Amino acid sequence: MKQIQLPLSARDIAILHAGETVTLYGEAVIARDAAHKRLYAMLQTGADLPFSLSGACIYYAGPCPAAPGEVIGPCGPTTSGRVDAYTPALIEAGLSAMIGKGARAPEVVHAMRGRAVYFAATGGAAILLSSHIVAAEVIAFADLEAEAVRRVTLAGMPVIVAIDAQGNSALWPIA
Amino acid sequence: MKTMGAIRILPASKVAETVCGLVIDAVCRLPDDVLFALHAAKDIETGAAHAVLAQIIENEALARAARRPCCQDTGLAVVFIDIGQDVHVDGSLIDAVNLGVAEAYRKAYLRKSVLSAIARENTGDNTPAILHMRMVPGDRVSIHVTPKGFGSENMSRLFMLKPAEGEDGILESITQTARLGAANACPPVILGVGVGGTMEGAAILAKRQLLRACGSKASTPTLRRLEKEALRRVNALGIGPMGFGGRTTALAVLIGEMPTHLAGLPVAVNVQCHCARHAGAVI
Ligand code: SF4
């Protein structure tokens, strides 16, 4: 299986193709609905973000609390469509990879062209996926608990390229 | 006046303990019938659909071995209780259910996803549970817990059909629900369908169907025929596992029916993801 290092290189963005199964390595940031609302508001007002969006990979997820001995609790993807309203602005600010589940709005697919790749992880495969997270730390919005922003290190997380930077999609309805 | 027969006394703490255990059991494994259906689906799928199903099955084995949840969305706890009319619960039954839920989510490190609907403030312990209670004959209490994830719950629909729409209308309601929402509900899904009753009656009946095993037989030949045809139509959509296309959009369509008013035909379709957790016990 193809191994992909984060942040995505310009070459990877250009050649990753919808439908490919790959494994991801490197740094990503976990953020979902409530965190996106705040990040978006910060972008609008020009406030400093808690992490740099340039070349960033966001994983849409809200893990369980870590049990003793766990790096992070079970952590599968959540429905990406719930942050679609904010995503074009984040891509504009440098976001180049996203991991989630389910379809994206046409505005997101458009904003991704030449700039970003959307990976799908298997919903409900939370333990399998968290076993590929080797480091995790809350970096912002700790008050949001399950929805807090976390910096994580991925080691071989299995994902499928759902929508590539050319606008091809592996998701139903398949054209 | 007739004298009272023997009334069984059940301490509320026993209910709390049982609910706590059932929540943890439910989230840390999938029922055998669901696993069986997932294996059967994996055998007929190829490509991304096959890969997704293999991951779901592997994940379940990891979760079961580690006694950790299959899915991080450990849900809103929906609790069905059939309480025998010859039982007296000593203490508050409702409090006992919520205590059991709170204890499970705390001690098993499950995600607390319950918050106030408008202000969005987390209640901190995943309570209150949604409780559906019925009084039944006997001196036993039967408890079923189904922690419901919202990726799938959000895709559920209610249709207040005209009586003239009949069987075709029922089938179309089911297919339309799948067409509009199954891709975002972690397919392969299971569809619980309630036909008849009132608005809320149909919805609760739909949720009750999700307690049935995949592949279990509906109560009447008409329902069995409708379940089969609905499953055929939903799988013909081709949404497939996690929306990557394929033959398995749903593992099962489970339909229940109850009488309704002559002027109406309510149909509720409750969408359940492949992480179809439930556990039950009789105390
Ligand atoms: S829809 Fe089900 S499997 Fe998917 S994230 Fe929610 S609870 Fe988990």
XYZ file of all heavy atoms in Angstrom, chain B residues 5-96:
669
model
N -51.712 -9.953 45.363
C -50.835 -11.117 45.228
C -49.432 -10.716 45.652
O -49.208 -9.592 46.093
N -48.510 -11.664 45.476
C -47.132 -11.381 45.893
C -46.522 -10.324 44.973
O -46.602 -10.445 43.755
C -46.317 -12.657 45.834
N -45.951 -9.313 45.568
C -45.266 -8.273 44.802
C -43.772 -8.440 45.013
O -43.313 -8.564 46.141
C -45.713 -6.860 45.272
C -47.168 -6.601 44.917
C -44.816 -5.771 44.702
C -47.434 -6.325 43.460
N -43.052 -8.503 43.940
C -41.600 -8.667 44.058
C -40.962 -7.297 44.264
O -41.293 -6.348 43.550
C -41.083 -9.302 42.778
C -39.600 -9.519 42.761
C -39.204 -10.368 41.543
N -37.774 -10.230 41.354
C -37.211 -9.726 40.265
N -37.945 -9.330 39.247
N -35.907 -9.634 40.203
N -40.071 -7.225 45.203
C -39.386 -5.962 45.470
C -38.034 -5.999 44.764
O -37.263 -6.946 44.939
C -39.139 -5.754 46.987
C -40.417 -5.976 47.790
C -38.510 -4.382 47.248
C -41.401 -4.850 47.758
N -37.777 -4.986 43.944
C -36.504 -4.926 43.221
C -35.818 -3.615 43.598
O -36.364 -2.539 43.340
C -36.779 -4.972 41.710
C -35.576 -5.016 40.787
C -34.825 -6.334 40.901
C -36.012 -4.801 39.343
N -34.645 -3.694 44.204
C -33.977 -2.435 44.564
C -33.580 -1.661 43.292
O -33.121 -2.262 42.318
C -32.729 -2.878 45.336
C -32.688 -4.360 45.305
C -33.869 -4.884 44.553
N -33.761 -0.350 43.328
C -33.410 0.471 42.163
C -31.930 0.311 41.815
O -31.549 0.387 40.646
C -33.742 1.935 42.448
N -31.111 0.052 42.819
C -29.668 -0.086 42.552
C -29.385 -1.253 41.599
O -28.438 -1.224 40.817
C -28.908 -0.291 43.861
O -29.395 -1.449 44.504
N -30.238 -2.266 41.650
C -30.064 -3.423 40.748
C -30.302 -2.989 39.288
O -29.634 -3.456 38.367
C -31.055 -4.527 41.178
C -31.028 -5.758 40.337
C -29.823 -6.642 40.617
C -29.760 -7.766 39.597
N -28.441 -8.337 39.432
N -31.264 -2.087 39.104
C -31.536 -1.550 37.758
C -30.326 -0.746 37.289
O -29.859 -0.894 36.156
C -32.811 -0.671 37.764
C -33.008 0.016 36.419
C -34.035 -1.515 38.131
N -29.788 0.103 38.169
C -28.640 0.943 37.809
C -27.452 0.072 37.389
O -26.830 0.299 36.346
C -28.258 1.837 38.983
N -27.182 -0.936 38.197
C -26.074 -1.855 37.923
C -26.245 -2.544 36.565
O -25.311 -2.657 35.783
C -26.168 -2.943 38.984
C -24.934 -3.405 39.677
C -25.393 -4.379 40.769
O -25.586 -5.560 40.460
O -25.625 -3.909 41.914
N -27.483 -2.999 36.308
C -27.758 -3.715 35.059
C -27.586 -2.785 33.863
O -26.954 -3.146 32.867
C -29.191 -4.288 35.084
O -29.329 -5.089 36.253
C -29.482 -5.120 33.850
N -28.139 -1.585 33.968
C -28.023 -0.626 32.855
C -26.555 -0.323 32.588
O -26.101 -0.315 31.430
C -28.805 0.675 33.166
C -28.445 1.784 32.196
C -30.310 0.402 33.135
N -25.785 -0.112 33.637
C -24.358 0.199 33.494
C -23.642 -0.913 32.727
O -22.932 -0.659 31.745
C -23.741 0.412 34.873
S -21.957 0.606 34.841
N -23.860 -2.141 33.138
C -23.227 -3.277 32.471
C -23.664 -3.407 31.019
O -22.846 -3.688 30.136
N -24.951 -3.171 30.761
C -25.469 -3.322 29.393
C -24.884 -2.264 28.457
O -24.581 -2.547 27.301
C -27.002 -3.233 29.388
C -27.749 -4.426 30.001
C -29.250 -4.144 30.049
C -27.479 -5.710 29.212
N -24.730 -1.032 28.953
C -24.151 0.024 28.108
C -22.745 -0.397 27.687
O -22.382 -0.346 26.497
C -24.076 1.384 28.854
C -23.227 2.386 28.072
C -25.471 1.950 29.101
N -21.952 -0.848 28.645
C -20.554 -1.200 28.337
C -20.513 -2.404 27.388
O -19.780 -2.407 26.405
C -19.757 -1.440 29.636
C -19.765 -0.158 30.484
C -18.314 -1.862 29.325
C -19.156 -0.308 31.865
N -21.338 -3.412 27.680
C -21.408 -4.576 26.779
C -21.783 -4.154 25.369
O -21.208 -4.618 24.392
C -22.500 -5.550 27.243
C -22.001 -6.465 28.334
O -20.786 -6.475 28.590
O -22.847 -7.160 28.938
N -22.776 -3.276 25.283
C -23.287 -2.890 23.965
C -22.221 -2.179 23.143
O -22.052 -2.487 21.960
C -24.523 -2.001 24.117
N -21.487 -1.261 23.741
C -20.571 -0.451 22.921
C -19.263 -1.156 22.584
O -18.577 -0.761 21.646
C -20.251 0.934 23.547
C -21.502 1.776 23.663
C -19.539 0.815 24.874
N -18.911 -2.196 23.339
C -17.599 -2.820 23.134
C -17.612 -4.030 22.199
O -16.612 -4.743 22.104
C -16.979 -3.202 24.475
S -16.647 -1.768 25.513
N -18.716 -4.288 21.555
C -18.778 -5.406 20.605
C -20.002 -5.205 19.716
O -20.860 -4.378 20.005
C -18.879 -6.735 21.341
C -19.994 -6.758 22.380
C -20.277 -8.136 22.882
N -20.780 -8.964 21.790
C -21.170 -10.220 21.951
N -21.102 -10.802 23.114
N -21.630 -10.906 20.929
N -20.056 -5.981 18.646
C -21.270 -5.960 17.819
C -22.018 -7.269 18.050
O -21.392 -8.305 18.311
C -20.918 -5.821 16.336
C -20.303 -4.490 15.912
C -20.056 -4.471 14.409
C -21.211 -3.326 16.303
N -23.345 -7.238 17.945
C -24.106 -8.485 18.096
C -23.716 -9.486 16.998
O -23.335 -9.095 15.894
C -25.559 -8.033 17.914
C -25.555 -6.559 18.133
C -24.198 -6.077 17.719
N -23.812 -10.777 17.315
C -23.408 -11.832 16.372
C -24.136 -11.741 15.037
O -23.554 -11.988 13.985
C -23.661 -13.212 16.989
C -22.720 -13.478 18.163
O -21.683 -12.783 18.255
O -23.031 -14.367 18.983
N -25.426 -11.376 15.075
C -26.181 -11.329 13.818
C -25.647 -10.227 12.904
O -25.612 -10.375 11.684
C -27.673 -11.106 14.102
C -27.927 -9.866 14.933
O -27.661 -9.897 16.151
O -28.359 -8.850 14.374
N -25.198 -9.122 13.496
C -24.648 -8.022 12.689
C -23.301 -8.447 12.103
O -23.026 -8.246 10.907
C -24.497 -6.738 13.545
C -23.834 -5.628 12.740
C -25.853 -6.288 14.074
N -22.485 -9.101 12.932
C -21.190 -9.579 12.449
C -21.363 -10.572 11.310
O -20.645 -10.529 10.313
C -20.444 -10.287 13.587
C -19.579 -9.414 14.471
C -18.927 -10.264 15.548
C -18.507 -8.709 13.635
N -22.332 -11.461 11.478
C -22.603 -12.465 10.452
C -22.967 -11.771 9.139
O -22.446 -12.100 8.076
C -23.749 -13.371 10.932
C -24.069 -14.475 9.984
C -23.322 -15.646 9.982
C -25.120 -14.345 9.067
C -23.614 -16.672 9.092
C -25.414 -15.365 8.166
C -24.657 -16.530 8.187
N -23.832 -10.756 9.235
C -24.257 -10.026 8.030
C -23.079 -9.257 7.417
O -22.957 -9.166 6.186
C -25.397 -9.072 8.377
N -22.194 -8.723 8.253
C -21.022 -7.999 7.734
C -20.077 -8.946 6.992
O -19.555 -8.613 5.926
C -20.282 -7.302 8.883
C -20.965 -6.052 9.465
C -20.307 -5.643 10.783
C -20.930 -4.890 8.469
N -19.879 -10.141 7.563
C -19.033 -11.144 6.889
C -19.630 -11.529 5.538
O -18.922 -11.620 4.541
C -18.877 -12.393 7.767
C -17.788 -12.277 8.781
N -16.454 -12.398 8.466
C -17.820 -12.038 10.109
C -15.714 -12.242 9.554
N -16.530 -12.018 10.574
N -20.936 -11.752 5.527
C -21.598 -12.153 4.277
C -21.442 -11.044 3.239
O -21.203 -11.305 2.053
C -23.074 -12.451 4.534
N -21.542 -9.800 3.683
C -21.409 -8.667 2.754
C -19.982 -8.586 2.230
O -19.751 -8.355 1.038
C -21.799 -7.368 3.468
N -19.030 -8.784 3.110
C -17.612 -8.710 2.700
C -17.327 -9.725 1.596
O -16.599 -9.447 0.644
C -16.711 -8.975 3.918
C -15.242 -8.712 3.651
C -14.377 -9.070 4.843
C -13.643 -10.337 4.539
N -12.859 -10.906 5.606
N -17.933 -10.904 1.721
C -17.690 -11.960 0.742
C -18.171 -11.609 -0.662
O -17.673 -12.154 -1.642
C -18.369 -13.271 1.195
C -17.678 -13.875 2.411
O -16.542 -13.448 2.723
O -18.278 -14.758 3.061
N -19.162 -10.710 -0.765
C -19.673 -10.410 -2.110
C -19.172 -9.064 -2.637
O -19.467 -8.685 -3.763
C -21.224 -10.433 -2.173
C -21.832 -9.400 -1.216
C -21.761 -11.829 -1.892
C -23.290 -9.085 -1.501
N -18.405 -8.322 -1.828
C -17.921 -7.012 -2.282
C -16.468 -7.100 -2.755
O -15.728 -8.011 -2.384
C -18.022 -5.988 -1.148
C -19.441 -5.677 -0.675
C -20.253 -4.824 -1.652
O -19.744 -4.478 -2.738
O -21.409 -4.502 -1.312
N -16.060 -6.116 -3.542
C -14.669 -6.047 -4.010
C -14.157 -4.615 -3.777
O -14.926 -3.732 -3.396
C -14.572 -6.349 -5.525
O -15.432 -5.426 -6.200
C -14.996 -7.768 -5.849
N -12.889 -4.409 -4.012
C -12.308 -3.066 -3.991
C -12.473 -2.349 -2.662
O -12.359 -2.948 -1.592
N -12.766 -1.032 -2.732
C -12.869 -0.211 -1.521
C -13.958 -0.734 -0.593
O -13.796 -0.747 0.628
C -13.145 1.246 -1.897
N -15.065 -1.208 -1.161
C -16.168 -1.714 -0.339
C -15.706 -2.904 0.504
O -16.010 -3.014 1.690
C -17.337 -2.118 -1.231
N -14.935 -3.786 -0.141
C -14.404 -4.960 0.557
C -13.423 -4.520 1.654
O -13.477 -5.007 2.787
C -13.710 -5.885 -0.454
C -13.146 -7.128 0.146
N -13.865 -8.295 0.248
C -11.939 -7.377 0.700
C -13.121 -9.215 0.832
N -11.942 -8.684 1.121
N -12.555 -3.564 1.318
C -11.541 -3.080 2.275
C -12.210 -2.479 3.505
O -11.794 -2.717 4.643
C -10.638 -2.047 1.601
N -13.271 -1.707 3.276
C -13.995 -1.062 4.370
C -14.611 -2.118 5.289
O -14.492 -2.044 6.513
C -15.092 -0.133 3.783
C -16.163 0.169 4.800
C -14.460 1.155 3.254
N -15.245 -3.124 4.710
C -15.889 -4.163 5.526
C -14.855 -4.967 6.308
O -15.074 -5.312 7.470
C -16.751 -5.071 4.643
C -18.000 -4.375 4.081
C -18.619 -5.200 2.959
C -19.036 -4.131 5.179
N -13.701 -5.215 5.674
C -12.633 -5.937 6.376
C -12.177 -5.116 7.585
O -11.932 -5.670 8.668
C -11.474 -6.210 5.421
N -12.077 -3.810 7.425
C -11.661 -2.946 8.548
C -12.699 -2.945 9.669
O -12.357 -2.968 10.849
C -11.469 -1.506 8.071
C -10.172 -1.286 7.317
C -9.961 0.185 7.009
O -10.580 1.060 7.593
N -9.072 0.447 6.062
N -13.965 -2.911 9.283
C -15.034 -2.898 10.299
C -14.995 -4.189 11.117
O -15.121 -4.181 12.342
C -16.422 -2.715 9.619
C -16.534 -1.303 9.024
C -17.551 -2.985 10.605
C -17.750 -1.099 8.121
N -14.759 -5.301 10.432
C -14.720 -6.593 11.117
C -13.473 -6.697 12.002
O -13.545 -7.129 13.154
C -14.794 -7.743 10.073
C -16.189 -7.751 9.433
C -14.461 -9.085 10.714
C -16.313 -8.604 8.180
N -12.335 -6.242 11.480
C -11.098 -6.265 12.275
C -11.245 -5.360 13.504
O -10.818 -5.707 14.622
C -9.917 -5.800 11.412
C -8.587 -5.926 12.132
C -7.431 -5.255 11.372
O -7.606 -4.875 10.194
O -6.355 -5.103 11.998
N -11.856 -4.199 13.289
C -12.054 -3.239 14.383
C -12.889 -3.857 15.506
O -12.599 -3.683 16.687
C -12.757 -1.994 13.831
C -13.009 -0.947 14.897
O -12.088 -0.298 15.361
N -14.258 -0.802 15.302
N -13.911 -4.607 15.107
C -14.784 -5.203 16.125
C -14.005 -6.199 16.980
O -14.159 -6.239 18.211
C -15.977 -5.889 15.446
C -17.136 -6.155 16.386
C -17.066 -7.449 17.166
O -16.267 -8.333 16.794
O -17.816 -7.590 18.138
N -13.127 -6.965 16.333
C -12.327 -7.943 17.081
C -11.385 -7.228 18.049
O -11.218 -7.655 19.195
C -11.542 -8.828 16.108
N -10.797 -6.115 17.601
C -9.903 -5.339 18.473
C -10.674 -4.770 19.661
O -10.208 -4.802 20.799
C -9.252 -4.184 17.690
C -8.243 -4.563 16.598
C -7.851 -3.324 15.789
C -6.999 -5.198 17.221
N -11.862 -4.240 19.385
C -12.671 -3.623 20.432
C -13.080 -4.666 21.473
O -12.973 -4.455 22.677
C -13.912 -2.972 19.825
N -13.524 -5.809 20.982
C -13.975 -6.879 21.866
C -12.818 -7.329 22.776
O -12.991 -7.507 23.979
C -14.450 -8.041 20.995
C -15.275 -9.062 21.703
C -15.571 -10.195 20.749
N -16.680 -9.896 19.859
C -17.776 -10.660 19.771
N -17.899 -11.720 20.524
N -18.733 -10.357 18.931
N -11.635 -7.485 22.169
C -10.480 -7.962 22.944
C -10.046 -6.919 23.975
O -9.674 -7.266 25.093
C -9.328 -8.301 21.999
N -10.098 -5.642 23.596
C -9.623 -4.591 24.506
C -10.728 -4.109 25.443
O -10.486 -3.326 26.335
C -9.090 -3.411 23.687
N -11.949 -4.570 25.214
C -13.130 -4.077 25.923
C -13.171 -2.551 25.882
O -13.342 -1.857 26.885
C -13.179 -4.603 27.355
C -14.618 -4.620 27.860
C -14.913 -5.651 28.897
N -16.196 -5.380 29.572
C -17.398 -5.628 29.049
N -17.511 -6.148 27.844
N -18.499 -5.348 29.719
N -12.996 -2.040 24.668
C -13.097 -0.611 24.393
C -14.122 -0.443 23.276
O -14.395 -1.380 22.521
C -11.736 -0.040 23.966
C -10.728 -0.022 25.101
C -11.092 1.001 26.169
N -10.714 2.355 25.777
C -11.446 3.440 26.088
N -12.592 3.323 26.723
N -11.039 4.635 25.742
N -14.723 0.732 23.134
C -15.814 0.884 22.161
C -15.384 0.711 20.698
O -14.314 1.162 20.307
C -16.320 2.306 22.404
C -15.477 2.908 23.440
C -14.516 1.900 23.963
N -16.237 0.076 19.916
C -16.020 -0.083 18.477
C -15.959 1.284 17.818
O -15.165 1.526 16.928
C -17.182 -0.830 17.822
S -17.411 -2.490 18.413
N -16.869 2.178 18.248
C -16.939 3.500 17.632
C -16.816 4.564 18.718
O -17.352 4.394 19.818
C -18.260 3.692 16.889
S -18.310 5.329 16.112
N -16.135 5.654 18.373
C -15.942 6.728 19.372
C -17.252 7.439 19.698
O -17.385 8.031 20.763
C -14.909 7.744 18.871
C -15.394 8.730 17.820
C -15.651 8.092 16.472
O -15.066 7.060 16.168
N -16.518 8.697 15.669
N -18.218 7.412 18.773
C -19.518 7.987 19.111
C -20.271 6.932 19.902
O -20.935 6.070 19.336
C -20.303 8.406 17.872
C -21.628 9.071 18.265
O -21.957 9.064 19.476
O -22.333 9.586 17.380
N -20.123 6.997 21.208
C -20.758 5.998 22.060
C -22.210 6.358 22.344
O -22.867 5.742 23.189
C -19.938 5.793 23.350
O -19.561 7.072 23.865
C -18.675 5.009 23.062
N -22.690 7.375 21.624
C -24.116 7.575 21.489
C -24.860 8.231 22.634
O -24.322 8.607 23.663
N -26.141 8.369 22.347
C -27.117 8.798 23.344
C -27.778 7.480 23.768
O -28.244 6.718 22.923
C -28.109 9.746 22.662
C -29.364 10.194 23.398
C -29.045 10.765 24.762
C -30.066 11.273 22.581
N -27.801 7.210 25.058
C -28.315 5.913 25.509
C -29.838 5.870 25.405
O -30.527 6.658 26.050
C -27.870 5.642 26.942
N -30.340 4.978 24.570
C -31.780 4.769 24.475
C -32.076 3.481 25.241
O -31.462 2.444 24.974
C -32.248 4.641 23.011
C -33.754 4.428 22.947
C -31.845 5.880 22.220
N -32.963 3.574 26.215
C -33.220 2.434 27.098
C -34.695 2.034 27.002
O -35.587 2.873 27.180
C -32.863 2.801 28.559
C -33.114 1.617 29.485
C -31.406 3.259 28.660
N -34.920 0.777 26.669
C -36.283 0.234 26.629
C -36.484 -0.632 27.864
O -35.701 -1.557 28.102
C -36.466 -0.655 25.399
C -36.484 0.101 24.099
C -35.317 0.302 23.368
C -37.672 0.604 23.587
C -35.342 0.989 22.162
C -37.706 1.285 22.384
C -36.532 1.485 21.670
N -37.504 -0.327 28.618
C -37.787 -1.150 29.802
C -39.222 -1.668 29.743
O -40.167 -0.894 29.559
C -37.571 -0.348 31.107
C -36.092 0.058 31.225
C -38.013 -1.174 32.325
C -35.705 0.646 32.566
N -39.361 -2.991 29.863
C -40.680 -3.595 30.047
C -40.743 -4.026 31.495
O -40.021 -4.935 31.909
C -40.858 -4.817 29.129
C -41.137 -4.400 27.690
O -41.318 -3.188 27.438
O -41.147 -5.287 26.816
N -41.607 -3.364 32.241
C -41.625 -3.627 33.674
C -42.870 -4.435 34.046
O -43.997 -4.071 33.697
C -41.515 -2.305 34.462
C -41.548 -2.562 35.964
C -42.563 -1.300 34.097
C -41.028 -1.398 36.765
N -42.638 -5.548 34.699
C -43.743 -6.408 35.112
C -44.600 -5.688 36.146
O -44.078 -5.009 37.031
N -45.923 -5.852 36.024
C -46.786 -5.100 36.948
C -46.772 -5.676 38.360
O -47.307 -5.073 39.276
C -48.197 -4.963 36.386
C -48.862 -6.273 36.070
C -49.990 -6.085 35.063
O -49.930 -5.213 34.193
N -51.021 -6.901 35.184
N -46.126 -6.839 38.532
C -46.003 -7.406 39.870
C -44.635 -7.128 40.501
O -44.191 -7.839 41.392
C -46.249 -8.923 39.831
C -47.662 -9.227 39.348
O -48.550 -8.380 39.572
O -47.862 -10.287 38.728
N -43.947 -6.121 39.976
C -42.663 -5.732 40.565
C -42.809 -4.352 41.177
O -43.414 -3.453 40.567
C -41.560 -5.589 39.490
C -40.190 -5.457 40.149
C -41.582 -6.719 38.518
N -42.245 -4.185 42.329
C -42.149 -2.845 42.898
C -40.671 -2.458 42.911
O -39.847 -3.144 43.510
C -42.708 -2.793 44.315
C -42.389 -1.505 45.003
N -43.011 -0.322 44.674
C -41.479 -1.199 45.956
C -42.503 0.654 45.415
N -41.564 0.146 46.196
N -40.353 -1.394 42.200
C -38.968 -0.929 42.210
C -38.802 -0.024 43.420
O -39.500 0.980 43.559
C -38.611 -0.190 40.907
C -37.201 0.379 40.995
C -38.736 -1.127 39.720
N -37.886 -0.416 44.280
C -37.669 0.331 45.514
C -36.663 1.445 45.225
O -35.476 1.206 45.089
C -37.141 -0.628 46.585
C -37.167 0.021 47.960
O -37.919 1.005 48.129
O -36.429 -0.440 48.843
N -37.172 2.666 45.102
C -36.331 3.795 44.713
C -36.824 4.324 43.388
O -37.803 3.817 42.835
N -36.172 5.351 42.868
C -36.620 5.939 41.602
C -36.046 5.178 40.415
O -34.831 5.085 40.239
C -36.203 7.411 41.520
O -36.223 7.819 40.170
N -36.937 4.642 39.602
C -36.511 3.871 38.432
C -35.797 4.771 37.421
O -34.766 4.408 36.853
C -37.741 3.212 37.793
C -37.492 2.399 36.534
C -36.550 1.239 36.805
C -38.803 1.861 35.969
N -36.351 5.958 37.222
C -35.749 6.872 36.245
C -34.350 7.294 36.695
O -33.393 7.270 35.908
C -36.675 8.093 36.032
C -37.976 7.623 35.369
C -35.992 9.155 35.179
C -39.040 8.682 35.247
N -34.229 7.623 37.975
C -32.901 7.981 38.487
C -31.932 6.813 38.354
O -30.756 6.997 38.034
C -32.972 8.387 39.973
C -33.633 9.751 40.150
O -33.894 10.415 39.125
O -33.898 10.127 41.308
N -32.438 5.614 38.597
C -31.571 4.431 38.526
C -31.027 4.246 37.114
O -29.845 3.936 36.917
C -32.345 3.192 38.966
